[in-house]
Amino acid sequence: MLSPTKHKTRILLVDDDLDMLEALTDGLTEKGFEVAAARSAEAALVHLAEASFDVMVTDLRMTGADGLTLLAQARALDPQLPVIVMTAYSALDTAIEAVRRGAFHYLAKPFRVDELLIFVRRAFEDAQLRREAEVLRHALRVQPGPPGVLGGSAAMQELFRILDRVAGTSAPVLITGETGTGKTLVASTIHQRSGRASAPLVALNCAALPENLLESELFGHVRGAFSGATSSSAGLFCAADGGSILLDEIGEMALPLQAKLLHVIERGAVRPIGGTKERPIDVRILAATNRDLEQAVREGKFREDLLYRLNLVVLELPPLRERSGDLPELIDHFLARARSRYPDSPVRNFSRSALERLLAHPWPGNVRELSHTIERLVLLGHGAVIEAADLPRNFNAPADSPPTFDAIVPMREMQRRYAAWVLEQVDGIRAHAARRLGIDVKTLGRLLGTQETGDLEVKD
């Protein structure tokens, strides 16, 4: 039960059924909430114009303006007001449409007051965190970055401010950004700075396994649930109980599995494949993706209701090319780290010309590419100073110049080299390389001169 302390939660109830309205009003009032009741959408709008509410609960089918109309008008008055809709089983399609238009959740009649309380609590907490995150976006205080996450640019300072505020909560966090921007590091930082730090952080790349194996890995299975299931497995959600789970590349998850994940998030319980009982779990969801999930929703490749559950707080990691001012600090950091890993290396610094080339490079592989490049230079360096000639070949070409070759090569060979380079920039993950090239994985295999048609090559 939500038991407000400093602020008594205010709920607006809207239903033209007087018996239902009175029953819900009495039940919520007994639980300590302040309730205003309205028997029509028109009366509800009067309440909204005169006072503020934390949650609105409305029936969908009413005389006069219906619940969908009220939902639109209420969100126009207060876009942050969470709305829970009530409907009969015969009108579930309308309820789903309401969620698509921004309702927080729907309840099918009949339901118990305690069931409504669960979603009122979640809606209230959701709205509170969204408002706090919005305030943080406009804060002017400079926040030092967490250990391992560097950057003094405006974009990184905003990220640090939001991260600092949400790390200690249990709110789900969606971390977005291009490959190599440091999403896994940020997820680890959030977990380590939370009250769950003593419990496990379990990470899984959703693009690394086919759908059937991914489902078993996440939710577990009982013995004999499928061919080869010779023993039971609890699954990663159970392994992360009390801690956090990182669902990396969440945008690659198949739609049927997205539906099951949504069910687990909403119920706070997981049922293994082939099992008959659910097990309650307490797991914080951290999700990461380099895809535009809103675009994926429009394309029918990602569930909108799942996105709404995941994006309570969004941390967007900018690409390195958009925060070039952070490069000197990052270069110094990775140089010091590489020297500590390879103490026998003679490398101590970069020449001015080499540093200029590093600063001018577009870094399509982002921070990961920068880290790997400097580590390789320190490992293979022969002198105290890295010169421009020591840098990889693509660093030695002036900016915006066409790529150079030792000799004229056939077009197919040029395509192969470019495809191989793109694959290297995305850490060998073929699905990512294919998407960046605008082709499918099978076509990428042909460009590379292989017959492999597997979904992915996965590297740490």
Side-chain angles (χ1 to χ4, degrees), residues 18 23 64 92 102 114 127 157 185 189 192 197 204 222 291 295-296 310 325 366 368 382 427 431:
L18 182 59
L92 284 181
D114 286 344
Q157 287 299 315
L185 176 60
T189 300
Q192 293 301 324
L204 178 66
V222 299
R291 296 188 64 181
Q295 177 64 30
L310 296 175
N366 293 295
R368 181 182 294 143
H382 299 292
D427 262 18

Side-chain angles (χ1 to χ4, degrees), residues 134-303:
E134 185 64 28
V135 170
L136 285 170
R137 291 190 184 97
H138 298 287
L140 297 177
R141 177 173 58 89
V142 173
Q143 178 72 29
V149 185
L150 305 176
S153 61
M156 294 302 291
Q157 287 299 315
E158 181 181 12
L159 184 143
F160 296 155
R161 286 193 295 268
I162 299 176
L163 188 152
D164 185 61
R165 178 62 184 87
V166 304
T169 73
S170 290
V173 179
L174 177 63
I175 307 167
T176 66
E178 294 179 4
T179 297
T181 49
K183 298 186 289 295
T184 301
L185 176 60
V186 168
S188 178
T189 300
I190 292 172
H191 176 74
Q192 293 301 324
R193 296 178 65 174
S194 74
R196 299 169 178 265
S198 60
L201 168 63
V202 177
L204 178 66
N205 187 329
C206 298
L209 296 172
E211 180 182 348
N212 59 329
L213 293 181
L214 181 59
E215 181 178 6
S216 173
E217 192 76 5
L218 285 173
F219 309 122
H221 62 265
V222 299
R223 181 179 178 182
F226 50 82
S227 177
T230 57
S231 61
S232 297
S233 171
L236 294 183
F237 266 97
C238 290
D241 195 16
S244 308
I245 189 167
L246 170 61
L247 301 176
D248 199 8
E249 303 300 345
I250 185 72
E252 306 301 326
M253 183 178 287
L255 284 169
L257 201 51
Q258 291 178 29
K260 187 162 185 178
L261 173 61
L262 177 64
H263 181 78
V264 170
I265 293 173
E266 290 185 337
R267 292 188 59 84
V270 62
R271 179 167 62 87
I273 300 173
T276 57
K277 295 182 179 180
E278 288 188 333
R279 170 180 165 176
I281 54 170
D282 174 24
V283 177
R284 184 183 194 174
I285 306 293
L286 305 174
T289 182
N290 60 8
R291 296 188 64 181
D292 182 342
L293 293 187
E294 292 184 353
Q295 177 64 30
V297 168
R298 290 191 290 270
E299 295 173 353
K301 297 178 180 178
F302 201 84
R303 293 181 63 104

